């Protein structure tokens, strides 16, 4: 194979441009993996976005190159993500030489019984597992109010690649930082409350939070079966869609949730909804209080109004000044009971997960708590605490109370977001930034955030499109049309004054 990697534009590469280069013999998977490994080696000591690199990455790349050469000779069909490097969050199980630790030293040495279902599907599609992305340790459930966004013991503090002092958000911080900084082609994150949407928004990435159950959670360190979902974080809507097509679908290992939601998957998959005019004829709801009014006269608020005009010009009908019932309560997870329900779910789910591991230094939440107490320097237990763990461990015999909380959350959804969407015949709700996240979280609804600009400090922000369960096709149409109309995303500039002047970017 004759190649010249100088002909290929590595920065901001997409799945489409990668596959075109493969087919034109101007790029090999080995060259692509080497590029990303060099980027990680150079930038990860600063960004702290990757927990560990797959020691077999180069071997897998060589195998992919051989498979491609053989396919050319015999006409064999390759997977939709063949040769595409991907990072998965360090809570997504991989049965290989990498660990699955939630960023915590407590799980170092644990061995999963098998790949998570999403990893099985990625491998089947031909993707290259490049490594494990960092996160807010244990999804912040260890200490929701005190653990910093983007921090975990194993990787350290994740850094926003646009503005060092800016919040990288969490918990899928490493997944978002990595794609934003071109450390990898695409990534997988997980979302219980805000963990795909928020880091994507803050790091100028596209984040797609699927309907709960659309993608299997089997083999993923859990928090809540009611709210957990797995989804792509990428640089473009099309890349997110290609990844979603590869990982969505029913799974007997997560049977109840995936059977219920697999009915939403359209025949022919999701690529068909990548339409430049996808916003035409759509009804978009705008809830100004509190999502817009709280921005006052900021750059973000001004950009939001400009983007609304763009959507209108592209053929959308904007239904303005709507309200969501009980919105103040919904937006406060302590008031709504969401956090209490999550912690109760976690206590049960983590015990089951730990006991299914082939081997592990800890087999219970109590043992994790004890590990953190014995290793305060490693885990910064004195600084960040573990009150969430302790609260979960101390929960006993309150099943009736939790059931009432869940019933209340379901009622908030019916009287709030669902009523708003149905009564106004909306295709999606559009909001700036991340404040609307709890609306989606408590109901298991899907959403997609698209890079929308940068504030007066250079910090990224996005436009969030949210819908009812199973409305991914509409959200993809709207999101792709918005992305193509605005093309707001820009890669971070590591040669700016606030970054090391002597930093060499390969």
């Amino acid at each position: 194979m004759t190649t010249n990697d100088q002909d290929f534009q590595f920065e901001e590469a997409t799945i489409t441009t990668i596959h075109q280069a493969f087919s034109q013999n101007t790029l090999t998977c080995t060259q692509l993996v080497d590029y990303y490994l060099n980027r990680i080696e150079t930038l990860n000591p600063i960004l702290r976005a990757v927990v560990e690199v797959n020691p077999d990455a180069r071997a897998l790349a060589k195998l992919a190159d051989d498979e491609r050469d053989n396919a050319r000779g015999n006409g064999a069909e390759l997977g939709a993500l063949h040769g595409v490097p991907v990072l998965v969050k360090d809570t997504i199980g991989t049965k290989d030489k990498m660990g699955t630790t939630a960023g915590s030293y407590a799980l170092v040495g644990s061995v999963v019984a098998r790949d998570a279902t999403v990893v099985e599907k990625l491998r089947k599609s031909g993707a290259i597992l490049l490594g494990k992305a960092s996160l807010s340790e244990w999804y912040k459930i260890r200490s929701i109010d005190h653990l910093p966004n983007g921090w975990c013991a194993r990787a350290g503090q994740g850094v926003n690649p646009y503005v060092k002092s800016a919040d990288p958000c969490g918990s899928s911080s490493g997944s978002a930082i990595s794609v934003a900084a071109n450390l990898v082609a695409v990534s997988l994150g997980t979302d219980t409350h805000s963990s795909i949407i928020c880091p994507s928004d803050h790091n100028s990435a596209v984040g797609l939070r699927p309907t709960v159950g659309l993608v299997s959670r089997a083999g993923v360190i859990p928090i809540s079966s009611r709210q957990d979902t797995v989804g792509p974080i990428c640089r473009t809507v099309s890349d997110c869609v290609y990844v979603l097509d590869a990982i969505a679908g029913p799974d007997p290992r997560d049977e109840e949730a995936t059977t219920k939601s697999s009915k939403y998957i359209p025949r022919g998959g999701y690529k068909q909804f990548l339409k430049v005019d996808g916003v035409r004829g759509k009804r978009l709801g705008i809830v100004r209080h509190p999502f817009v009014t709280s921005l006052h006269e900021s750059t973000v608020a001004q950009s939001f109004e400009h983007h609304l005009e763009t959507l209108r010009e592209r053929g959308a009908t904007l239904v303005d000044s709507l309200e969501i019932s009980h919105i103040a309560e919904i937006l406060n997870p302590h008031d709504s009971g969401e956090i209490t329900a999550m912690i109760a779910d976690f206590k049960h789910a983590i015990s089951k997960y730990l006991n299914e591991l082939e081997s592990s230094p800890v087999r219970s939440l109590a043992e994790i708590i004890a590990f953190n107490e014995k290793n305060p320097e490693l885990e910064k237990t004195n600084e960040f605490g573990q009150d969430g763990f302790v609260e979960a461990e101390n929960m006993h015999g309150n099943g009736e109370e939790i059931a009432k909380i869940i019933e209340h959350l379901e009622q908030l959804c019916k009287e709030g977001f669902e009523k708003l969407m149905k009564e106004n015949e909306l295709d999606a709700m559009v909001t700036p930034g991340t404040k609307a996240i709890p609306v989606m979280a408590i109901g298991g609804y899907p959403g997609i955030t698209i890079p929308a600009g940068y504030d007066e400090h250079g910090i990224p922000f996005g436009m969030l499109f949210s819908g009812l369960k199973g409305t991914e096709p509409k959200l993809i149409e709207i999101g792709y049309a918005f992305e193509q109309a605005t093309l707001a995303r820009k890669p971070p500039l590591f040669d700016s004054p606030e970054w090391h002047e002597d930093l060499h970017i390969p």
Side-chain angles (χ1 to χ4, degrees):
M1 180 183 289
T2 302
T3 63
N4 179 7
D5 62 7
Q6 296 304 311
D7 296 336
F8 182 72
Q9 181 61 48
F10 286 96
E11 188 174 67
E12 301 294 282
T14 66
I15 293 171
T16 299
T17 62
I18 288 168
H19 279 161
Q20 284 174 345
F22 285 160
S23 65
Q24 294 166 1
N25 266 20
T26 58
L27 179 71
T28 66
C29 183
T30 299
Q31 290 168 334
L32 186 61
V33 164
D34 279 346
Y35 170 78
Y36 288 131
L37 290 177
N38 288 337
R39 291 279 291 190
I40 291 170
E41 184 178 359
T42 303
L43 289 172
N44 199 56
I46 300 167
L47 297 178
R48 303 289 180 180
V50 181
V51 172
E52 61 182 294
V53 166
N54 187 353
D56 292 331
R58 293 196 84 255
L60 291 170
K62 175 65 166 62
L63 179 62
D65 287 331
D66 292 343
E67 288 172 345
R68 188 169 294 280
D69 284 344
N70 292 334
R72 284 192 180 96
N74 59 30
E77 192 170 328
L78 298 173
L81 299 181
H82 192 270
V84 176
V86 57
L87 283 169
V88 299
K89 188 174 180 177
D90 185 36
T91 54
I92 299 174
T94 56
K95 182 68 169 173
D96 51 22
K97 293 175 184 174
M98 295 186 289
T100 305
T101 70
S104 167
Y105 283 106
L107 280 180
V108 170
S110 64
V111 178
V112 299
R114 57 187 288 186
D115 280 340
T117 299
V118 289
V119 171
E120 288 180 357
K121 291 188 172 189
L122 286 173
R123 294 195 202 273
K124 186 177 179 181
S125 75
I128 305 295
L129 270 290
L130 189 68
K132 291 293 184 77
S134 185
L135 68 154
S136 306
E137 186 176 302
W138 287 109
Y139 308 114
K140 288 189 69 169
I141 199 78
R142 174 183 136 182
S143 181
I144 291 170
D145 294 327
H146 300 109
L147 201 78
N149 285 335
W151 180 87
C152 69
R154 289 194 65 204
Q157 178 60 57
V159 174
N160 188 305
Y162 290 89
V163 177
K164 276 186 178 180
S165 60
D167 183 3
C169 209
S171 67
S172 303
S173 50
S175 301
I177 294 166
S178 295
V179 296
N182 283 275
L183 305 186
V184 74
V186 298
S187 71
L188 274 193
T190 70
D191 194 311
T192 304
H193 177 83
S194 63
S195 299
I196 287 175
I197 298 299
C198 194
S200 298
D201 174 280
H202 284 40
N203 293 281
S204 203
V206 178
L208 199 164
R209 179 192 199 277
T211 301
V212 168
L214 195 73
V215 177
S216 172
R217 291 87 49 91
V220 179
I221 296 175
I223 294 183
S224 166
S225 61
R226 295 179 304 101
Q227 294 186 203
D228 290 350
T229 187
V230 181
I233 300 177
C234 307
R235 289 183 289 271
T236 67
V237 175
S238 60
D239 280 0
C240 276
V241 170
Y242 294 156
V243 174
L244 181 64
D245 269 335
I247 62 175
D251 178 18
R253 295 170 61 201
D254 189 10
E255 187 169 17
E256 183 179 353
T258 59
T259 299
K260 193 179 296 183
S261 293
S262 63
K263 65 183 179 184
Y264 297 129
I265 300 174
R267 185 182 298 273
Y270 292 99
K271 294 184 188 71
Q272 62 189 298
F273 302 106
L274 293 169
K275 301 177 182 177
V276 175
D277 64 347
V279 77
R280 185 170 301 282
K282 298 293 193 299
R283 287 175 61 84
L284 305 180
I286 303 164
V287 179
R288 292 193 172 270
H289 178 75
F291 305 129
V292 183
T293 54
S294 61
L295 298 172
H296 305 294
E297 298 299 319
S298 66
T299 303
V300 178
Q302 294 169 23
S303 295
F304 179 68
E305 299 302 331
H306 172 74
H307 289 322
L308 291 181
E309 188 56 37
T310 298
L311 292 167
R312 189 181 286 108
E313 289 171 356
R314 296 288 169 135
T317 297
L318 304 184
V319 187
D320 209 338
S321 301
L322 300 177
E323 295 182 358
I324 297 176
S325 298
H326 312 293
I327 189 61
E329 183 180 359
I330 291 169
L331 295 185
N332 188 322
H334 292 281
D335 288 353
S336 68
E338 180 192 358
I339 286 181
T340 302
M342 281 170 52
I343 288 173
D345 288 346
F346 175 73
K347 180 181 182 178
H348 168 74
I350 195 60
S351 175
K352 184 172 183 289
Y353 173 84
L354 292 171
N355 282 293
E356 289 176 350
L357 293 172
E358 272 191 8
S359 62
S360 178
V362 291
R363 287 291 188 180
S364 67
L365 180 54
E367 290 183 5
I368 296 171
I369 293 170
F371 177 91
N372 291 341
E373 288 176 346
K374 291 175 185 174
N375 296 276
E377 292 184 5
L378 267 184
E379 288 291 335
K380 293 196 175 183
T381 319
N382 294 335
E383 291 98 316
F384 305 143
Q386 53 178 336
D387 50 289
F389 280 177
V390 172
E391 183 179 348
E393 179 63 17
N394 290 336
M395 280 189 166
H396 301 289
N398 58 348
E400 191 174 320
E401 177 193 345
I402 300 302
K404 286 181 180 178
I405 289 174
I406 292 171
E407 184 180 343
H408 178 62
L409 290 169
E410 291 172 351
Q411 197 64 30
L412 288 176
C413 291
K414 289 176 183 175
E415 295 176 2
F417 187 59
E418 290 184 18
K419 185 177 180 182
L420 170 90
M421 295 293 291
K422 291 173 182 177
E423 285 191 353
N424 294 283
E425 300 180 330
L426 301 178
D427 294 297
M429 178 176 73
V430 55
T431 51
T434 61
K435 291 184 184 298
I437 282 171
V439 176
M440 288 184 296
I442 64 171
Y445 305 119
I448 186 168
T449 180
I450 317 292
Y454 306 84
D455 70 12
E456 57 271 23
H457 304 292
I459 301 171
F461 63 90
M463 286 276 273
L464 175 58
F465 301 94
S466 315
L468 295 175
K469 291 179 181 179
T471 58
E472 280 83 357
K474 291 180 179 180
L475 297 179
I476 290 166
E477 286 183 332
I478 296 164
Y480 183 71
F482 173 77
E483 175 194 58
Q484 296 302 304
T486 56
L487 297 175
R489 176 182 154 75
K490 300 173 184 175
L493 299 174
F494 294 107
D495 57 354
S496 62
E498 65 183 33
W499 292 92
H500 295 291
E501 292 180 5
D502 59 348
L503 189 63
H504 173 66
I505 308 298

